[in-house]
């Protein structure tokens, strides 16, 4: 039987981060993951992440996974793939199915970082082929290069539903609508806005009545729900679709913790059945730790920090690090974690209705109901200013833990300050050169460069564009509003692509100047 | 949950009773509701009685759904129910692979 200082189950951000910290201290570490590729959820995340530089903000999820893996390998961590941990037994022994064999391993410490699984909801027809989890759709598209369908309805407006809707469109699917039984959009407003401006309608307080089809999905009916979650008669809407994506939450995959005899709790604030852990991630069983989504659904950024804390704590426990050093390092990590767990979407805010930002500005209600900020509302946010030359317009209106835009501008046009969840504001005194670094760095695709008046009755708008094929300079098309409605004809006057932009292309379009603050997307094809 | 004297409302058939909840084992909502009235109050009992969550996905899809149906039938909150006992193997595995396990 093999013996390790630390056995880690799950090679997601939590598991890999713990492995790095433990191996750095000289521990012999093995990481088992059931997938052919390490990285957990990260390997299907093709979007740029939020957070700050230390948390790999503005880097695409799969690249964060690659970075963690490279660092772990360099430190001599043994990462075993296609390896399912099928059991955990007393004396910290695990059984692992690798290929056609079951092997046994013992660890002085064990970290369970098994992540989460997707929730489902039931409705007539929910077992028809074509009803899939949003995560499954993402795996099909981004890992296997397979289109899940052609016309899709997404149920759920949390970040997963919003991000996957956008990625479905990038892959070439048509998303006919987003529906959610809740009365308000659950995910980040910036993610919602980038979907809405492509013309996807949001139906809040709506749920699926039924899926139609004989041997696969051919259509779906949604309806509005009343205060008791009953469908209001006459509110039904039908869509012809071949795919229904469910993004209705994740549940911690904590079975191994339960099997190991850890004290468990059913905690709605953590989205399910989770092990009770102390501030170091240690469960009630000494030497068995849990970190990441398995101990409460959160983000990759917090999963990484929780993993690091568990790795350091294990090193202290086994004497690879002095208690004083360990405590000092853990305190640093805890401070970072505290910073991330702030703002409107912090774990403690779940289910609370927020009406004002930290700055005391009324929240955009339109954003919560329809997925986009209205023309009138947008003017009250500090990122939206007006000046004669080219300037950034930042339509980022909620307190989220994110700040790469501030770092991106070398001319100090953009300010968030030291409090990571503050709204970005534009300094009208600073001189914007139109370099576009902020537009490409914004994980929420919420920054536009606007020249409101070019002197000839037109305005120029530069926007982030992540669809293929790329429009060409001189091409005419349609400018869409924040709601995704056609507002006027637009001509592409520039498309910038650069390595530093990391696949976010900067498209500049010319529109009549009265649309400078209305036009926010470019639709290819015959202008209407 | 072990209060076997719990008074349940009488079983009333519902229009969606034939909806499949556990796809792997093809167990319907009606069967789960009926099982509660047959005296199966915990998730472990339901699982032994009906095999919900014992198929290919090992309950990854239906655990939460079964829990909410049982909770509603008992008139308790889902999180009052706890979970079914977890046992190795975590995932389905061929007998021949288990048979080769020499404990190494
Ligand atoms: C669509 C989507 C978008 C997201 N966007 C963001 C974002 O912008 N920013 C952000 O910070 N977070 C984001 N997240 C959340 C983030 O991906 C997760 O919170 C994070 O990946 C959790 O990390 P983890 O290490 O706990 O688990 P995971 O990443 O889920 O990794 C767990 C790993 O363990 C493996 N495993 C489980 N059981 C076993 C077993 N028995 N044996 C072997 N291996 C096992 C799993 O297969 C998996 O590979 C997003 C998530 C989704 C789904
Ligand atoms: S375009 Fe360049 S100069 Fe202007 S705000 Fe953005 S980063 Fe700063
Ligand atoms: S504007 Fe800044 S804070 Fe807002 S999403 Fe973009 S990068 Fe993040």
């Amino acid at each position: 039987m093999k013996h390790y200082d630390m056995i880690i189950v799950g090679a997601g951000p939590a598991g890999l981060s713990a492995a790095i910290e433990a191996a750095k201290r000289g521990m012999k570490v093995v990481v088992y993951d059931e997938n052919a590729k390490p990285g957990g959820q990260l390997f299907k995340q093709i979007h740029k992440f939020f957070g700050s530089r230390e948390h790999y903000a503005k880097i695409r999820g799969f690249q964060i996974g690659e970075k963690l893996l490279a660092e772990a390998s360099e430190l001599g961590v043994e990462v075993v793939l296609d390896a399912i941990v099928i059991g955990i037994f007393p004396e910290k022994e695990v059984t692992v199915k690798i290929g056609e064999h079951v092997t046994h391993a013992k660890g002085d410490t064990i970290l369970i970082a098994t992540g989460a699984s997707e929730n489902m909801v039931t409705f007539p027809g929910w077992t028809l082929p074509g009803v899939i989890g949003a995560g499954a759709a993402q795996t099909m598209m981004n890992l296997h290069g397979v289109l899940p369908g052609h016309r899709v309805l997404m149920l759920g407006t949390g970040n997963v539903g919003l991000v996957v809707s956008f990625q479905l469109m990038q892959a070439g699917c048509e998303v006919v609508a987003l529906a959610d039984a809740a009365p308000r959009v659950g995910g980040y407003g910036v993610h919602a806005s980038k979907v809405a401006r492509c013309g996807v309608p949001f139906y809040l307080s709506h749920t699926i009545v039924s899926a139609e089809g004989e041997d696969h999905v051919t259509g779906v009916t949604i309806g509005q729900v009343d205060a008791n979650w009953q469908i209001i008669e006459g509110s039904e809407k039908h869509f012809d679709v071949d795919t229904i994506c469910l993004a209705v939450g994740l549940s911690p995959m904590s079975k191994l913790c339960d099997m190991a005899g850890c004290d468990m709790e059913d905690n709605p604030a953590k989205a399910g059945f989770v092990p009770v852990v102390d501030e170091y991630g240690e469960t009630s069983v000494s030497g068995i730790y849990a970190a990441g989504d398995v101990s409460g659904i959160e983000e990759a950024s917090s999963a990484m920090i929780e993993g690091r804390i568990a790795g350091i704590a294990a090193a202290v426990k086994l004497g690879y690090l002095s208690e004083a050093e360990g405590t000092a390092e853990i305190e640093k990590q805890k401070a970072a974690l505290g910073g991330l767990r702030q703002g409107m979407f912090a774990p403690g805010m779940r289910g609370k209705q927020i009406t004002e930002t930290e700055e005391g500005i009324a929240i955009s209600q339109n954003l919560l109901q329809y997925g986009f900020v209205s023309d009138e509302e947008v003017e009250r946010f500090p990122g939206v200013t007006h000046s004669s030359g080219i300037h950034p317009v930042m339509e980022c209106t909620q307190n989220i833990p994110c700040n790469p835009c501030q770092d991106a501008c070398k001319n100090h046009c953009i300010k968030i300050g030291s409090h990571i969840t503050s709204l970005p504001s534009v300094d009208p005194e600073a001189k914007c050169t139109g370099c576009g670094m902020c537009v490409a760095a914004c994980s929420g695709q919420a920054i536009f460069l606007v020249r409101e008046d070019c002197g000839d009755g037109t305005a120029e708008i530069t926007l982030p564009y992540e669809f293929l094929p790329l429009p060409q300079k001189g091409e005419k098309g349609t400018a869409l509003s924040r709601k995704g409605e056609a507002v006027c004809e637009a001509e592409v006057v520039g498309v910038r692509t650069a390595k530093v932009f990391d696949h976010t292309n900067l498209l500049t379009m010319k529109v009549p100047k009265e649309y400078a603050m209305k036009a926010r997307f470019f639709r290819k094809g015959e202008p209407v | 949950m072990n209060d076997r004297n719990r008074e349940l409302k009488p079983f009333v058939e519902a229009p969606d009773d034939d909806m499949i909840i556990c796809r792997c084992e093809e167990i319907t909502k009606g069967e789960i509701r009926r099982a509660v009235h047959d005296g199966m109050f915990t998730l472990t009992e339901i699982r032994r009685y009906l095999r919900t969550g014992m198929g290919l996905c090992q309950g990854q899809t239906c655990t939460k759904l079964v829990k909410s149906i049982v909770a509603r039938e008992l008139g308790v909150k889902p999180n009052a129910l706890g979970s079914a006992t977890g046992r190795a193997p975590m995932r389905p595995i061929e007998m021949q692979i288990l048979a080769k396990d020499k404990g190494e």
Side-chain angles (χ1 to χ4, degrees), chain A residues 189-206:
Chain A
V190 286
H191 276 324
S193 300
K194 71 183 193 197
V195 174
R197 76 172 79 103
C198 294
V200 183
F202 281 60
Y203 292 98
L204 275 297
S205 300
H206 275 71

Side-chain angles (χ1 to χ4, degrees), chain A residues 34 84-87 89 97 100 102-104 117 119-120 122-123 126 251 255-256 258-259 266 268 273, chain B residues 19-21 23 58 60-61 64-65 67 79 83-84 86-91 93 97 100-101 103-104:
Chain A
E34 60 189 326
I84 309 176
V85 174
I86 53 171
F89 302 92
K97 176 184 175 253
E100 296 286 286
V102 175
T103 55
H104 294 239
S117 62
N119 294 343
M120 291 286 133
T122 55
F123 43 81
W126 81 284
S251 291
K255 236 191 217 170
L256 276 178
D258 194 20
M259 229 184 262
D266 209 325
F273 195 59
Chain B
M19 184 154 67
I20 287 183
I21 300 298
R23 325 187 187 208
Q58 288 290 293
Q60 265 195 58
T61 314
K64 215 175 153 147
L65 302 172
K67 201 173 190 175
N79 61 2
S83 80
R87 277 201 185 80
M90 277 278 293
R91 302 282 152 88
I93 178 169
I97 298 180
K100 279 189 287 194
D101 180 4
E104 285 153 3

Side-chain angles (χ1 to χ4, degrees), chain A residues 4-244:
Chain A
Y4 297 93
D5 291 322
M6 190 171 203
I7 293 177
I8 297 178
V9 191
L16 288 177
S17 302
I20 290 169
E21 293 300 330
K24 250 193 231 168
R25 289 6 186 256
M27 287 167 69
K28 188 177 167 203
V29 183
V30 66
V31 184
Y32 296 113
D33 196 288
E34 60 189 326
N35 297 297
K37 271 191 172 182
Q41 292 290 330
L42 286 178
F43 265 89
K44 25 183 218 198
Q45 308 306 340
I46 56 168
H47 59 289
K48 295 182 177 176
F49 271 39
F50 294 92
S52 68
R53 199 171 348 163
E54 305 84 72
H55 313 126
Y56 303 107
K58 85 169 189 192
I59 300 181
R60 296 182 191 272
F62 70 97
Q63 289 162 327
I64 301 177
E66 283 167 2
K67 274 179 198 286
L68 291 175
L69 185 66
E71 200 179 340
S73 308
E74 237 163 70
L75 289 162
V77 172
E78 186 182 337
V79 180
V80 187
L81 300 173
D82 289 316
I84 309 176
V85 174
I86 53 171
I88 187 162
F89 302 92
E91 309 295 329
K92 301 195 184 63
E93 179 175 339
V94 297
T95 47
V96 196
K97 176 184 175 253
I98 305 170
E100 296 286 286
H101 295 277
V102 175
T103 55
H104 294 239
K106 259 190 183 185
D108 288 336
T109 57
I110 295 182
L111 170 69
I112 298 172
T114 45
S117 62
E118 295 197 87
N119 294 343
M120 291 286 133
V121 286
T122 55
F123 43 81
W126 81 284
T127 50
L128 279 172
V131 180
I132 57 175
Q138 218 184 12
T139 307
M140 289 172 79
M141 295 189 285
N142 301 347
L143 278 182
H144 305 298
V146 175
L147 219 52
H150 298 283
R151 286 172 58 84
V152 187
L153 177 112
M154 177 69 70
L155 183 71
T157 61
N159 276 335
V160 174
L162 297 171
V163 167
V164 176
S165 293
F166 192 74
Q167 292 178 0
L168 281 163
M169 290 192 279
Q170 288 179 304
C173 301
E174 188 186 343
V175 178
V176 298
L178 271 120
D180 199 316
R184 291 175 290 275
V185 170
Y188 290 177
V190 286
H191 276 324
S193 300
K194 71 183 193 197
V195 174
R197 76 172 79 103
C198 294
V200 183
F202 281 60
Y203 292 98
L204 275 297
S205 300
H206 275 71
T207 193
I208 294 178
V209 178
S210 64
E212 292 121 40
E214 278 299 311
D215 53 6
H216 64 279
V217 173
T218 55
V220 62
T221 301
I222 63 170
Q224 195 177 345
V225 292
D226 63 18
N228 300 317
W229 307 102
Q230 299 303 311
I231 304 284
I232 300 172
E233 248 192 75
S235 70
E236 293 89 351
K237 292 153 195 85
H238 179 269
F239 299 91
D240 289 327
V241 295
D242 55 16
T243 306
I244 298 170

Side-chain angles (χ1 to χ4, degrees), chain A residues 295-325:
Chain A
S295 59
I297 305 295
E298 263 184 87
E299 299 267 276
S301 38
S302 40
M304 285 187 273
I305 303 182
E306 285 179 11
R308 286 189 192 279
I309 292 176
I312 300 169
V316 172
K317 184 164 211 105
L318 299 188
Y320 284 91
L321 192 66
S322 77
E323 193 146 353
E325 279 173 294

Side-chain angles (χ1 to χ4, degrees), chain A residues 221-368:
Chain A
T221 301
I222 63 170
Q224 195 177 345
V225 292
D226 63 18
N228 300 317
W229 307 102
Q230 299 303 311
I231 304 284
I232 300 172
E233 248 192 75
S235 70
E236 293 89 351
K237 292 153 195 85
H238 179 269
F239 299 91
D240 289 327
V241 295
D242 55 16
T243 306
I244 298 170
C245 264
L246 305 179
V248 292
L250 303 170
S251 291
M253 278 210 286
S254 55
K255 236 191 217 170
L256 276 178
C257 305
D258 194 20
M259 229 184 262
C262 307
D263 285 346
M264 306 290 290
E265 59 171 346
D266 209 325
N267 187 340
K270 297 185 167 183
F273 195 59
V274 293
V276 180
V277 295
D278 67 10
E279 55 183 323
Y280 308 115
E282 192 166 5
T283 65
S284 62
V285 180
S286 171
I288 297 189
Y289 297 80
D293 280 354
V294 71
S295 59
I297 305 295
E298 263 184 87
E299 299 267 276
S301 38
S302 40
M304 285 187 273
I305 303 182
E306 285 179 11
R308 286 189 192 279
I309 292 176
I312 300 169
V316 172
K317 184 164 211 105
L318 299 188
Y320 284 91
L321 192 66
S322 77
E323 193 146 353
E325 279 173 294
T327 313
E329 295 205 26
I330 287 173
E331 283 312 315
K332 262 192 272 169
Q333 299 292 344
K334 276 207 258 178
L337 197 54
L340 285 177
R341 285 179 177 159
Q342 282 176 15
M344 294 176 179
F345 297 86
M349 302 300 272
R350 259 181 209 143
K352 284 189 193 148
Q353 195 182 345
I354 298 156
T355 53
E356 275 187 358
T357 68
E358 288 163 10
E359 292 80 0
I361 304 169
I363 293 286
S364 160
Q365 290 304 323
N366 209 72
L367 180 61
L368 297 179

